[in-house]
Amino acid sequence: HEELIDNVDINLENVHCPDGRLPIKKVSELCGGYERRMAADGGIDLMLLGTGEQGQLGLNEPGSFANSRTRMVALSTASRKAQSSLFYGLENTPERL
């Protein structure tokens, strides 16, 4: 929000972002709810994602199926190293997203 949403004219009702701080036990429920909300809203009009060094989008690791849905993904060591500066070091970089 700080880098983009707070700086553009967009209704916050139209911003949907999964909560990455959720306990692991609740991730499956969150992902299902996210998918249901996207379907109820008629799909996605615009999605902003980052591109990783291995060509992954939104930190979706290489080898994921094209028809895969919202889910938790284990990050490779290469992906974690590439993103570690955003988390103030590899030791603070998540192993899953």
Side-chain angles (χ1 to χ4, degrees):
H1 281 257
E2 185 177 315
E3 297 294 326
L4 177 64
I5 303 302
D6 294 346
N7 297 297
V8 296
D9 183 20
I10 189 168
N11 186 336
L12 291 180
E13 292 176 2
N14 297 324
V15 176
H16 308 289
C17 183
D19 184 353
R21 301 165 296 174
L22 202 66
I24 290 176
K25 292 187 286 187
K26 296 191 175 210
V27 169
S28 183
E29 179 183 333
L30 172 100
C31 292
Y34 191 66
E35 291 288 331
R36 286 188 296 278
R37 183 163 186 179
M38 282 190 290
D41 287 347
I44 298 171
D45 293 321
L46 175 68
M47 182 179 286
L48 299 176
L49 300 169
T51 305
E53 288 185 354
Q54 298 171 326
Q56 69 270 44
L57 294 175
L59 293 177
N60 195 10
E61 290 293 285
S64 295
F65 295 106
N67 64 347
S68 58
R69 300 286 187 202
T70 305
R71 72 213 180 280
M72 182 181 297
V73 176
L75 300 175
S76 68
T77 301
S79 291
R80 291 183 65 237
K81 284 181 181 177
Q83 300 300 322
S84 64
S85 64
L86 300 173
F87 294 93
Y88 304 102
L90 185 61
E91 65 279 1
N92 300 316
T93 306
E95 294 180 5
R96 300 178 203 92
L97 287 179

